[in-house]
Amino acid sequence: MTIMARFSSKRILVSGGAGFLGSHLCDRLIAQGHEVLCLDNFFTGSKDNVTHLLNHPKFELIRHDVVEPIRIEADEIYNLACPASPVHYQYNPIATIKTSVMGALNLLGAAKRSRAKIFQASTSEVYGDPKIHPQTEKYWGHVNPVGIRSCYDEGKRCAETLFFDYHRQHKMRIKVARIFNTYGPRMHPHDGRVVSNFIVQALKNEPITVYGEGKQTRSFCYADDLIEGFLRVMDTEDAFTGPVNLGNPNEFSILELAEKAIKLTGSKSKLVFKPLPSDDPLQRCPDISLAKSKLGWEPQVQLEDGLKRTIQYFEQLLK
Ligand code: NAD
Ligand code: UDP
């Protein structure tokens, strides 16, 4: 703990803080009165996401690539740095796996030096194309180690391993959350993920690109709900490490999502079917019993409501 933290707020590092989720997290931490160090290399994130915070006396933006070591003092660290959209993480797969693995090593090193508590934004992708449904934290997953999603899945799995080894070997305070598909304002319009793609296509009355037959499922969590989950995970007692699933357990097929996007935007768009990318998981839904019992957390915003808020954001952005 730094001297400042003992007397007032905490100093909190958010790596990947200029991204979609990172910027919402920075907002919440600043609102709570903390000092926030936002670190990002702007690979998929943007200064625009945090422009409104730049003049805040407790906010600092640092351009840094987590693949490089960093010396920084903090009381808490949230590690979110990593491209999350399949299009972006497959663009430079070697950089993706380096970001997950070396980023985890560098931030765990920084946390060790400053005795900080450290949070890892892990993912439902550690379950791969799951053979059990819904997925509980006890499931070890079904992941292809040599496919086009492996740079992300295996990178995140290795990062989890590093977190647990630092915990066992150095008694560090770690928190690992496995995030399921999350959407909301500040997703990049060309992000490539399904919610932003469908909304942007629907608003422009362009064809909605459904991959495969659209029967695959996902469970969509609204960003505000997820960030509340992050804060509760970080606040758990030291003995609690996770991994803990964070996501909305209501499951929808991709076709159902497309229909909702068209309905809620009043769009004239028609569906077009494109090939299903390889290793695309068939179904995904979190079992959130652990989050409910341990954190008293469950999502409050259901899909149609969250989509309406996200549509409003993209309507403004595309004006
Ligand atoms: P995002 O792409 O908007 O955010 C990632 C941020 O990390 C960006 O600002 C990017 O510029 C930054 N970044 C990438 N590589 C970096 C590097 N080498 N050094 C420093 N910064 C780097 O995606 P997001 O949806 O906000 O995801 C945030 C985190 O949550 C990611 O770690 C992602 O894997 C995880 N996650 C997100 C979801 C989701 O549905 N949104 C699901 C599972 C896991
Ligand atoms: N998808 C789709 N059309 C798109 C983008 C994605 O049908 O324009 C599908 C994709 O094949 C996957 C699901 O939507 O089955 C979720 O994709 P996303 O990239 O959002 O995240 P994933 O959960 O696959 O990492």
Side-chain angles (χ1 to χ4, degrees):
M1 187 185 277
T2 64
I3 286 179
M4 283 307 291
R6 236 172 278 154
F7 297 113
S8 58
S9 60
K10 290 181 207 142
R11 177 190 278 189
I12 303 180
L13 174 68
V14 180
S15 88
F20 157 51
L21 293 176
S23 62
H24 287 290
L25 177 61
C26 290
D27 281 346
R28 281 294 297 274
L29 295 171
I30 286 286
Q32 289 183 342
H34 299 298
E35 189 184 338
V36 172
L37 307 175
C38 169
L39 182 152
D40 210 294
N41 72 347
F42 305 118
F43 177 55
T44 53
S46 161
K47 245 188 192 177
D48 294 345
N49 287 334
V50 290
T51 308
H52 58 288
L53 294 173
L54 289 178
N55 288 328
H56 194 287
K58 289 192 164 185
F59 182 80
E60 207 172 319
L61 180 60
I62 306 162
R63 180 189 283 266
H64 180 81
D65 189 323
V66 290
V67 168
E68 305 299 331
I70 184 157
R71 290 206 161 259
I72 214 154
E73 282 286 311
D75 304 297
E76 292 179 355
I77 298 177
Y78 287 86
N79 181 26
L80 275 67
C82 185
S85 155
V87 178
H88 290 149
Y89 70 64
Q90 288 164 20
Y91 171 76
N92 185 344
I94 297 169
T96 299
I97 200 159
K98 275 170 87 176
T99 294
S100 272
V101 176
M102 296 171 73
L105 275 168
N106 286 328
L107 292 173
L108 282 160
K112 181 165 172 270
R113 283 189 294 274
S114 50
R115 296 178 203 280
K117 190 161 39 163
I118 180 164
F119 170 102
Q120 168 67 359
S122 191
T123 168
S124 52
E125 282 286 313
V126 301
Y127 302 124
D129 190 8
K131 296 294 168 216
I132 69 148
H133 197 73
Q135 293 80 55
T136 66
E137 292 85 352
K138 289 201 169 69
Y139 180 50
W140 288 354
H142 179 239
V143 177
N144 177 358
V146 294
I148 57 169
R149 293 175 88 101
S150 312
C151 60
Y152 184 74
D153 301 9
E154 297 290 18
K156 288 284 188 178
R157 285 169 69 95
C158 183
E160 285 200 11
T161 307
L162 285 166
F163 268 68
F164 278 85
D165 282 334
Y166 268 75
H167 171 68
R168 282 184 287 259
Q169 203 171 327
H170 297 301
K171 311 281 173 274
M172 283 179 50
R173 294 174 297 157
I174 62 156
K175 310 283 173 192
V176 175
R178 292 182 178 154
I179 306 163
F180 285 65
N181 299 61
T182 300
Y183 67 98
R186 298 197 195 140
M187 290 187 93
H188 196 280
H190 304 301
D191 179 279
R193 282 178 278 187
V194 70
V195 175
S196 45
N197 270 10
F198 284 5
I199 291 178
V200 171
Q201 291 162 346
L203 287 173
K204 293 181 168 174
N205 292 310
E206 288 173 357
I208 306 273
T209 53
V210 174
Y211 301 161
E213 293 176 24
K215 288 184 186 153
Q216 68 274 33
T217 68
R218 295 293 187 271
S219 308
F220 300 101
C221 186
Y222 189 66
D224 292 359
D225 280 334
L226 187 81
I227 302 303
E228 177 63 32
F230 282 12
L231 301 175
R232 290 192 191 198
V233 171
M234 193 57 122
D235 274 351
T236 49
E237 77 275 8
D238 289 351
F240 183 74
T241 56
V244 57
N245 288 340
L246 293 179
N248 190 317
N250 292 330
E251 186 179 356
F252 296 89
S253 72
I254 295 307
L255 269 184
E256 286 174 311
L257 180 73
E259 282 155 12
K260 282 188 193 300
I262 291 174
K263 184 185 88 179
L264 295 173
T265 50
S267 173
K268 298 188 186 71
S269 294
K270 299 277 176 268
L271 306 185
V272 289
F273 291 87
K274 303 259 180 187
L276 188 68
S278 67
D279 294 341
D280 199 292
L282 208 60
Q283 52 180 10
R284 187 184 284 156
C285 178
D287 178 319
I288 60 163
S289 316
L290 180 61
K292 276 187 184 164
S293 64
K294 195 73 213 173
L295 316 170
W297 177 88
E298 66 181 309
Q300 304 298 313
V301 181
Q302 293 314 328
L303 186 58
E304 291 217 355
D305 189 14
L307 285 177
K308 283 182 195 157
R309 299 188 205 183
T310 312
I311 288 166
Q312 264 181 13
Y313 168 79
F314 280 113
E315 272 170 345
Q316 290 299 317
L317 196 76
L318 299 176
K319 256 185 191 164

